[in-house]
Amino acid sequence: MTAIPHPSGCGLYIPNTKIADQWDRADPITHTRMVLQAIKDTKVVFARTVRFLKHWNGTHSKPMCSWNIKALALDCLDQPMPLIDALQVFFTYAADEIDKGPTPDPADVAGPIPLNMPRREVHKRLSTARDYIDLALEHEAAGRPLSAQHALHQVLPELVPDADATVEEADRLASTVRAGGTAATGLGLAVGIVTPTRAWGI
């Protein structure tokens, strides 16, 4: 790749014929250092989570570029944790941040990172993924592994096979009614996470 050092000494100018200025400013060396540090600090959880997130992005019409995903993950994934928890942390944080505005460059050199869709639509997709992850964890904690798997399938459809949670959902609804509560689910599903999530390696 052709690049020219920026006069300030921070970052590079990289050719981009798609914009009027013909050059993008970036700092790939600092970006790489930050990502490698995050991988080390999280004991590889950062890298594994980003792979899951790229899958989510690719199977949900690519609302974000991969660098936007990494940039947001750099801000919220800084220690080891189970992968399912890392997904919950990311989607919760990312939905809040995208709702506020564009994601800034982690190296503070380039401009805000652009989205592939209107910000409101990206926020909606992140929020929906967050809600499904929350639902999956709720089902897992309640001993409903098939309902948990069904919920997680909505986020990672090609990685987590769908599951028939009809019996578990019927039992859940019956228990809710017996307890005097409402039979509705938060996402309007007959649902709800496959053998406890930890068993998926997530």
Side-chain angles (χ1 to χ4, degrees):
M1 177 185 293
T2 301
I4 300 174
H6 190 267
S8 68
C10 297
L12 305 169
Y13 274 135
I14 299 173
N16 184 351
T17 58
K18 296 180 179 180
I19 61 175
D21 290 342
Q22 300 289 298
W23 297 88
D24 274 332
R25 190 178 173 193
D27 193 347
I29 294 175
T30 297
H31 292 163
T32 300
R33 183 166 58 244
M34 295 172 77
V35 168
L36 292 176
Q37 186 63 51
I39 292 172
K40 179 180 179 181
D41 291 345
T42 62
K43 298 188 184 300
V44 194
V45 168
F46 179 92
R48 292 173 178 167
T49 304
V50 166
R51 282 199 291 271
F52 280 122
L53 293 170
K54 287 182 178 180
H55 171 80
W56 164 80
N57 193 54
T59 55
H60 292 80
S61 304
K62 296 185 178 180
M64 308 168 72
C65 69
S66 61
W67 175 234
N68 202 337
I69 290 172
K70 289 180 183 177
L72 288 166
L74 283 170
D75 282 341
C76 64
L77 301 179
D78 57 5
Q79 58 186 311
M81 65 183 78
L83 288 173
I84 187 67
D85 294 343
L87 289 172
Q88 183 184 45
V89 167
F90 175 85
F91 283 120
T92 300
Y93 177 80
D96 288 345
E97 290 302 304
I98 291 297
D99 192 38
K100 296 174 186 175
T103 306
D105 172 28
D108 200 25
V109 166
I113 303 171
L115 298 169
N116 295 335
M117 293 181 178
R119 187 159 57 90
R120 180 171 295 185
E121 181 61 30
V122 177
H123 175 258
K124 178 181 178 181
R125 290 171 190 244
L126 289 166
S127 298
T128 298
R130 175 203 61 205
D131 292 345
Y132 274 119
I133 295 294
D134 288 348
L135 185 61
L137 287 167
E138 177 186 330
H139 283 306
E140 180 192 29
R144 296 187 292 266
L146 296 177
S147 298
Q149 181 173 346
H150 177 72
L152 194 57
H153 171 77
Q154 313 308 312
V155 182
L156 304 170
E158 294 178 2
L159 299 181
V160 178
D162 202 358
D164 184 353
T166 304
V167 174
E168 285 183 356
E169 180 64 6
D171 289 344
R172 183 192 71 79
L173 294 176
S175 296
T176 301
V177 171
R178 284 196 299 271
T182 175
T185 63
L187 292 172
L189 303 169
V191 284
I193 276 185
V194 102
T195 38
T197 24
R198 305 302 190 264
W200 310 322
I202 298 179

